[in-house]
Each structure stands twice: as C-alpha cells, then as structure tokens.
Amino acid sequence: RSGKLTPSQVAKNIIAVLEDCDKSTPPLRAVVQWDQEQIMLMAEASTARYRNKCTLSYLDGIPVCLKEEFKVVPYHHRVGTVYLGTEPETEDATVAKKLREAGAIIIGVSNMHELGTGTTGCNPNRYHKIPRNPYKPNHFTGGSSSGSAAAVAAGLCPVAIGTDGGGSVRIPASFCGVVGLKGTFGRISAHGSLPLSYSTVSVGPICASVADAAIVYSILAEPDLLYPYGLKQPKATLSDMCAPDLKGLKLGVDWTFFKACDAEVLSICEKAVEHLQSLGASVVEISLPELEEVRVAHVICILSEMRDFLQPDFDKHFQEMNLETRANLALASQFTALDYIRANRQRTRSMRVLREIFCTVNCILTPGVPSTAPRIYESDLLTGSSDLSFTVRSMRFMQLGNFTGIPGIVVPIGYSTAGLPISFQVMAKWWDEALLLRIGLKLEQFRYHTKKPSIYYDILA
C-alpha cells in the first residue's frame, strides 16, 4: 500500500527464486508447475490496482500456490501422478477461482504425495521428485500436501492451499514449521479437486502465520453451489479472534492420548498448555473413548473411498503408479462393504461423543505430530518409501478430526535439539474455526523465536 514495493517486483523475485530453487542441490521441488507469463500477468494487473487504489481484497498481489490436487488453469491436473492431466486444465477449481477474484497471484501448483496416499511426501516419479524440508533438506516435508508446506516454509509464498483427509495439511505444516488449518468438513469448497475420499477430506490453507490463515479462511470459507456438502454451513466469522486473553475458555486434554508422542515433543507441548493456562484458560481433563476404533474406522473409510474412486486407474494404470500407491490401494481392496458400514456406524458414535464433550469444553488440545520429520534415504529417491508404522503414527492426532469433520489447526511452537520443527494442535467443534484462530494467535506468542530454515528465500528483498 505504501508503494515501496509492487506486486510486479515481488513476482520477478519469485520467478528468479523458482528458477534457482530447482537448480540447487538437492532441488527443493516445492512448486512443480509454474509459468512466468501467467505470474507476470496477474502481478501487473495487481500493480495497476494498487496504483489506482482499487484493490480487491487483503490477498491482492499476494503470491499463493495450490496443491496439484486442484484444477488450476493452465496447468496439468496430475494429482502427483504421471498418467493424469495429460492436457492443460481449462477450468479452475472453486478455490483457485476465488483466489483469482481476490487478486492473489497464483505462482503455480505444488508437489504432492501421489494421489494423496501417504504422509511423507515421498514421490519419486519423473514429474515430481521428492520435495525437501526447508529446515533439513535430508528430511521429508510430510504429506500429502508436501510441496505446499515446503513452499511456505522456504518463503516462496506466504499462502498455499492443501487438502486434508488424514492430516494432509496438518502433518506437512507441522514438519515444516508453518501454520496449517483444516476447516470443518464442507466449510471450504473442494469442487475442482480430485474427489479421492468424499467423506474425510477438508480443504485448508497452509500459511506463514495464524493471521495469514485467518485472512485466507475468511475469503475461502463460504457455501458453493457446486459443492453440496457445505451448503448448510453457518456464516464464517472471526469473532473474538483478537481477544486479549483466553479467560473463560475450557481446554480439554485427554492426557493419556496427549502423551503418546516423543519425549522432546511432549515436553514442549506440555509447556504450551501451561502458557494457555497463564492467559486465563482452564484445562479440563477429558476422556476420548474408542480412539483405537476411530483409527481403524478412519482408515477403512478413507481407503475404501479412494479405492472405489481409483478403481479404473488401478486397473488401467497400475504399472505407472508408485510402488507405495499400489500397495495402499491393494490393501484397500481387502476391505468389505460390511467393514465400511461398520466404520460409518463408528463415525456416528464418535460424533455423538464429541457433541457431549464440546458441551463441557471449548476445544481439544494435542501435539501436532508425535515425532519430527523423518530422514530421506538414498533408496527413497529411486523407489519411494513405504513405512506403514510411520504412516499410522504420523496420523495419530489427525484422524479424529478427519473422521468426524471437526476443524483443527497446527501451530509451530518450537524445535527439537536437531533443529526440526515441533507443533501443537487445537481442535474445536464443527464450524468454530474462529476459536482455533484465537488460540492459535496465543500459541504464536509462546514460540519466543522463529528459526530461519536452512533453505529460505526473501521474496521482498
């Protein structure tokens, strides 16, 4: 607004960075498709709007990228594969359209775990390669919105859009030390993304800060006639988000569940709980029942739905899929209709239990991910990685939100002795994202310093 900088100048910097970061050793592989001409067109239009003092929104001129799961003109809608999206896209997903209408500069589409089938971000195929964690390039970013988190952490853009069916926004945001918001199921339209799992996936922003996440959320969260799941939603607000304290809030903690993480993660997460208490909130001990049943039922639901949707691909493109994708889809084919029905009965039970829990507390606190980002091994670069015990563990604190549709936010709160990010999660009742953002702002105050990642670009320089 001051005119010291224009969106066009920033765009030129980003283009230089995009060229540089994939020539580096190892390449960052955060944004996998981009187009210099497209970026400059949007930036010049925004620069003119600033000059004429007629900007479209707070996002005008702001660089963003979208996970390759979304259709974005004129890029290929590959969804992390080598066989999808053979032609450039001619129609935008709803979120891409809304970002354009807000004046944002779409800098390209970001890398992702093939078909969203894993939580490492490991995708060895020729179009994608393995995105690197900006904090430690020999560690994974987390997945499946891997490139989105890496792009924000490395400074390529302050905003990226991801999808979250089993932690796919919150796991990479946690591993890369940025903020990840999974909206309530249906809150942000998923129209124009590949419908891999229709009952567990929510869309959400990955951002450099909680305030940025609030801005993006306020622009994207509204009903979309093309996306029936979100039509009946209450109006999205940011009420009380900037309240000076947390007086009167009851924070629910199931300590047995909370403590199921690495010692380093636990010690800093416990201190974060004390910090929230010091701001006037009270901690209420709760019991989250049937968590093992929730875990199994969520896996049955998400994998059955993916297997159903990807049946033609599995038959026709089996040889072109990564080995891990094949293994996961083969596992999914073992579930029966009976398993799926029982899993959905469990969902109804779990939602009823949460309804009761939210009568006594305002939110539920957990660590983000039980451990820090895992290492990348040489073999991963060639054949990929399949570690089911890691996948299961990384989703531990995520699945409840995906299974029941409640919203969750992860906020970085510190670092391990090895210098990898550690994050904290807050979940609230359906449609209460404003509360998550309010508590998220207070968690940012707890993180007394932010370490710069070893791969970091200053696009304003």
Side-chain angles (χ1 to χ4, degrees):
R1 281 186 188 154
S2 68
K4 281 183 198 157
L5 198 64
T6 69
S8 298
Q9 285 168 285
V10 175
K12 282 182 186 134
N13 292 346
I14 289 171
I15 289 161
V17 164
L18 287 169
E19 283 169 347
D20 179 69
C21 67
D22 278 341
K23 285 188 193 129
S24 63
T25 315
L28 181 63
R29 296 309 291 155
V31 176
V32 287
Q33 296 182 59
W34 56 278
D35 181 303
Q36 181 167 343
E37 205 179 318
Q38 290 286 325
I39 297 171
M40 286 315 298
L41 275 174
M42 286 181 267
E44 279 154 13
S46 177
T47 301
R49 289 192 293 272
Y50 274 97
R51 203 170 37 240
N52 300 326
K53 303 210 173 357
C54 61
T55 51
L56 298 168
S57 78
Y58 284 127
L59 281 183
D60 207 327
I62 302 296
V64 303
C65 67
L66 291 93
K67 185 179 186 175
E68 202 180 60
E69 199 170 319
F70 293 98
K71 294 180 176 180
V72 183
V73 179
Y75 303 109
H76 295 266
H77 188 216
R78 291 193 179 116
V79 199
T81 71
V82 294
Y83 65 85
L84 285 172
T86 51
E87 295 298 316
E89 213 34 65
T90 55
E91 203 182 324
D92 275 330
T94 297
V95 282
K97 194 161 145 277
K98 287 179 91 76
L99 289 166
R100 280 191 214 277
E101 286 165 359
I105 299 169
I106 297 174
I107 65 165
V109 293
S110 47
N111 206 341
M112 64 177 284
H113 205 105
E114 186 178 58
L115 294 168
T117 55
T119 61
T120 55
C122 182
N123 188 352
N125 76 41
R126 66 179 183 272
Y127 286 139
H128 297 86
K129 301 281 178 250
I130 295 175
R132 303 297 180 138
N133 191 317
Y135 277 91
K136 288 220 169 205
N138 58 344
H139 286 248
F140 283 118
T141 54
S144 63
S145 309
S146 48
S148 298
V152 173
L156 304 185
C157 51
V159 175
I161 308 297
T163 59
D164 190 316
S168 285
V169 157
R170 293 162 294 156
I171 293 169
S174 298
F175 283 161
C176 293
V178 288
V179 174
L181 173 67
K182 176 195 100 69
T184 304
F185 177 75
R187 177 62 107 176
I188 297 173
S189 172
H191 173 74
S193 68
L194 201 70
L196 294 165
S197 162
Y198 40 84
S199 76
T200 65
V201 174
S202 295
V203 177
I206 293 175
C207 295
S209 71
V210 174
D212 290 353
I215 290 169
V216 181
Y217 164 75
S218 67
I219 285 170
L220 296 182
E222 66 173 6
D224 171 16
L225 290 173
L226 299 170
Y227 186 66
Y229 298 123
L231 287 178
K232 292 267 188 345
Q233 62 177 281
K235 195 167 169 44
T237 71
L238 298 177
S239 62
D240 292 339
M241 181 182 144
C242 298
D245 55 39
L246 298 176
K247 281 192 181 116
L249 287 186
K250 292 182 173 146
L251 318 174
V253 182
D254 178 329
W255 284 109
T256 313
F257 185 45
F258 190 99
K259 288 177 177 171
C261 59
D262 291 357
E264 243 184 332
V265 173
L266 179 61
S267 97
I268 194 158
C269 286
E270 284 178 329
K271 290 191 184 88
V273 174
E274 287 166 19
H275 167 73
L276 297 176
Q277 272 179 295
S278 74
L279 291 165
S282 55
V283 171
V284 178
E285 230 174 290
I286 58 171
S287 167
L288 294 167
E290 301 175 0
L291 284 168
E292 186 55 24
E293 288 82 348
V294 164
R295 188 176 73 77
V296 174
H298 166 264
V299 168
I300 291 169
C301 284
I302 190 169
L303 279 182
S304 299
E305 289 168 9
M306 289 174 98
R307 181 73 166 96
D308 165 55
F309 180 72
L310 293 168
Q311 181 68 46
D313 299 42
F314 194 68
D315 293 342
K316 211 163 125 200
H317 298 285
F318 182 80
Q319 295 302 333
E320 296 162 274
M321 290 175 171
N322 290 336
L323 296 170
E324 183 195 13
T325 308
R326 295 184 211 176
N328 285 333
L329 292 175
L331 168 70
S333 67
Q334 301 305 303
F335 298 133
T336 64
L338 198 60
D339 293 329
Y340 186 71
I341 289 165
R342 283 190 178 147
N344 276 292
R345 285 191 183 137
Q346 177 64 44
R347 193 192 315 247
T348 309
R349 275 171 73 89
S350 299
M351 288 172 80
R352 192 179 305 134
V353 165
L354 281 180
R355 207 164 271 136
E356 285 165 19
I357 287 173
F358 285 127
C359 289
T360 56
V361 298
N362 300 93
C363 62
I364 298 169
L365 308 180
T366 71
V369 185
S371 59
T372 53
R375 274 211 54 175
I376 297 171
Y377 293 98
E378 280 303 305
S379 62
D380 300 337
L381 304 174
L382 301 169
T383 52
S385 151
S386 180
D387 181 346
L388 272 179
S389 65
F390 168 77
T391 305
V392 167
R393 194 157 188 258
S394 64
M395 296 198 303
R396 175 174 292 149
F397 300 120
M398 304 285 148
Q399 290 172 287
L400 182 65
N402 292 113
F403 191 51
T404 61
I406 59 173
I409 194 170
V410 292
V411 179
I413 54 166
Y415 305 89
S416 69
T417 45
L420 284 161
I422 291 171
S423 81
F424 190 89
Q425 176 175 239
V426 189
M427 293 180 281
K429 68 176 183 293
W430 299 271
W431 317 114
D432 203 0
E433 289 88 349
L435 178 69
L436 299 181
L437 295 161
R438 176 182 172 186
I439 297 170
L441 282 175
K442 299 293 182 260
L443 282 167
E444 280 183 326
Q445 294 169 3
F446 168 73
R447 187 180 79 234
Y448 58 93
H449 75 300
T450 302
K451 273 193 189 156
K452 209 167 235 174
S454 60
I455 302 175
Y456 187 78
Y457 294 94
D458 183 354
I459 55 169
L460 302 183

